[in-house]
Amino acid sequence: MAYKNRFTQSEEFRRDELIRLIEAHVERLTLAELEALYYDMTTKSYIND
């Protein structure tokens, strides 16, 4: 069980790290790039409004 808990914590840390990296890069996108990203994500059903 202890191994599973460490693995889960590692996954959570990696997930948080990836979110921080993605947020940092998204903040630098232009409006046109953000619109293109939004369109791409909605057409692939990553975002459901």
Side-chain angles (χ1 to χ4, degrees), residues 4-41:
K4 185 177 180 184
N5 287 338
R6 275 189 235 128
F7 184 70
T8 301
Q9 290 173 353
S10 178
E11 282 185 346
E12 289 175 11
F13 175 79
R14 182 64 179 148
R15 183 178 186 279
D16 289 343
E17 181 182 22
L18 289 170
I19 289 171
R20 280 192 300 275
L21 286 168
I22 292 168
E23 285 177 341
H25 287 84
V26 166
E27 288 176 353
R28 295 185 211 139
L29 295 177
T30 65
L31 179 58
E33 291 169 329
L34 284 170
E35 288 173 337
L37 179 61
Y38 176 78
Y39 175 79
D40 189 47
M41 292 179 78

